[in-house]
Amino acid sequence: MKHKKATAVSLAAVAGAAVLGGIRYAAGKRKPKAARENDVQEEGLTEDKMRECLLRLFRLYEDSEFDDSAEFLGDGSDPREYEAENYSSQLFPYIKRNMKDVMMMEGDDGTGKEPFAMTDVLFCYPACKIGCEIEELFSDNFVLCLESEIWMLENGEFASVYCVSIGKDGGRLSYRFVDTYIKNPGDIRICFEDLESGFAQIIKALEEGRKPELP
C-alpha cells in the first residue's frame, strides 16, 4: 500500500503559517467541544471496544503487512484478529490512562513550563497518540520537526494528524492539525511496521516501569 507523504518544503511552509497563525489566539482561549456527527461513544473506551477498533484499523492495511503473523499462526486464522486481540490486551491500560484533551498548540521553555496558555482543543473527545513518523529539518538556529501521527479517540475513532514543531535552546513549540479521520486505506500516513514499532516501545516501557518515549 502506498502512503501519501507531504514534501518537506510544503510542510515547512505550513509550519510557519500554522504556528504563527496559532499564536494569534487569545491567551487561555478555548472553544467548547462541539458534538460530532455519528457519535458512537456510549460508555467510554473499554478493552473490547479497543479490540474492535484496532481490528477496524488493521483491516485498512494490505494483507502483506500480516504475512509474518499468518505464518506464525499457521492454521488459517485471521492474523488481523490475532494482532487486534494481542495489542488491545497489552495496550489498553496505557491508552485508557493516557486519554487527554489534545490542544492545537502547546510548548515549553525547556524546563517543563508552558510559555503561553493552551489554545483550542483539537478533538471533541480525549485521545491518545498511538503512532508517529518523524522527519526533521535542521538549521543553525532551530530544529524544525515534521510529524505524521495517529491518535485514537475515546469514542473509538482514529485521526491522522500533522504536527509541526519548532525547537530552540531546549524549548519547543508544537502546532497540530487534523489531516483526516481514518476511514479508508488512503487516510493512513503511517505504515504498519512503524505503527507496530510504536506499540513495541510502549509495551517495553510498561514492562520496565517507565514512561514510553513516543515523540
Side-chain angles (χ1 to χ4, degrees):
M1 177 172 61
K2 295 182 179 178
H3 303 277
K4 294 186 289 184
K5 289 187 177 180
T7 65
V9 173
S10 62
L11 278 180
V14 171
V19 173
L20 291 176
I23 291 176
R24 296 192 185 100
Y25 280 111
K29 192 174 184 180
R30 178 167 171 169
K31 291 181 180 177
K33 299 179 183 179
R36 280 180 49 81
E37 294 182 1
N38 302 319
D39 184 358
V40 298
Q41 184 176 12
E42 295 178 355
E43 56 184 52
L45 185 67
T46 64
E47 186 173 336
D48 286 342
K49 181 181 287 187
M50 181 174 167
R51 178 184 58 79
E52 294 171 2
C53 294
L54 287 178
L55 180 58
R56 186 177 72 246
L57 177 67
F58 293 169
R59 281 176 174 159
L60 298 179
Y61 285 95
E62 291 184 353
D63 292 344
S64 59
E65 302 274 16
F66 299 88
D67 285 347
D68 290 343
S69 295
E71 183 178 351
F72 170 75
L73 293 171
D75 57 2
S77 301
D78 185 346
R80 290 178 174 85
E81 291 186 357
Y82 166 78
E83 295 288 7
E85 178 70 31
N86 178 48
Y87 283 125
S88 62
S89 63
Q90 296 187 79
L91 297 176
F92 173 72
Y94 169 80
I95 291 178
K96 180 72 172 181
R97 185 170 61 249
N98 286 278
M99 286 282 173
K100 64 178 183 178
D101 285 337
V102 184
M103 311 310 294
M104 292 175 62
M105 181 177 289
E106 59 186 2
D108 64 64
D109 60 4
T111 65
K113 297 179 181 179
E114 298 167 1
F116 55 88
M118 299 297 114
T119 56
D120 296 345
V121 290
L122 186 63
F123 308 119
C124 296
Y125 299 102
C128 179
K129 183 167 63 174
I130 64 171
C132 182
E133 270 187 359
I134 300 178
E135 180 177 358
E136 291 184 330
L137 299 178
F138 296 90
S139 81
D140 293 337
N141 298 316
F142 63 88
V143 177
L144 175 61
C145 186
L146 312 173
E147 306 173 22
S148 294
E149 303 174 338
I150 294 180
W151 288 76
M152 183 173 186
L153 279 65
E154 190 178 45
N155 72 334
E157 289 185 288
F158 294 94
S160 175
V161 171
Y162 284 123
C163 178
V164 180
S165 298
I166 297 178
K168 182 178 181 181
D169 299 329
R172 181 171 173 133
L173 176 67
S174 298
Y175 181 85
R176 286 186 170 89
F177 57 98
V178 176
D179 174 38
T180 186
Y181 287 89
I182 297 173
K183 301 183 184 302
N184 303 295
D187 297 336
I188 303 176
R189 307 289 178 254
I190 299 177
C191 68
F192 188 70
E193 181 179 357
D194 287 342
L195 185 64
E196 280 198 305
S197 177
F199 288 170
Q201 290 182 49
I202 294 173
I203 293 169
K204 183 178 180 180
L206 294 177
E207 290 174 347
E208 296 175 352
R210 57 180 175 84
K211 184 178 179 180
E213 296 181 355
L214 283 179

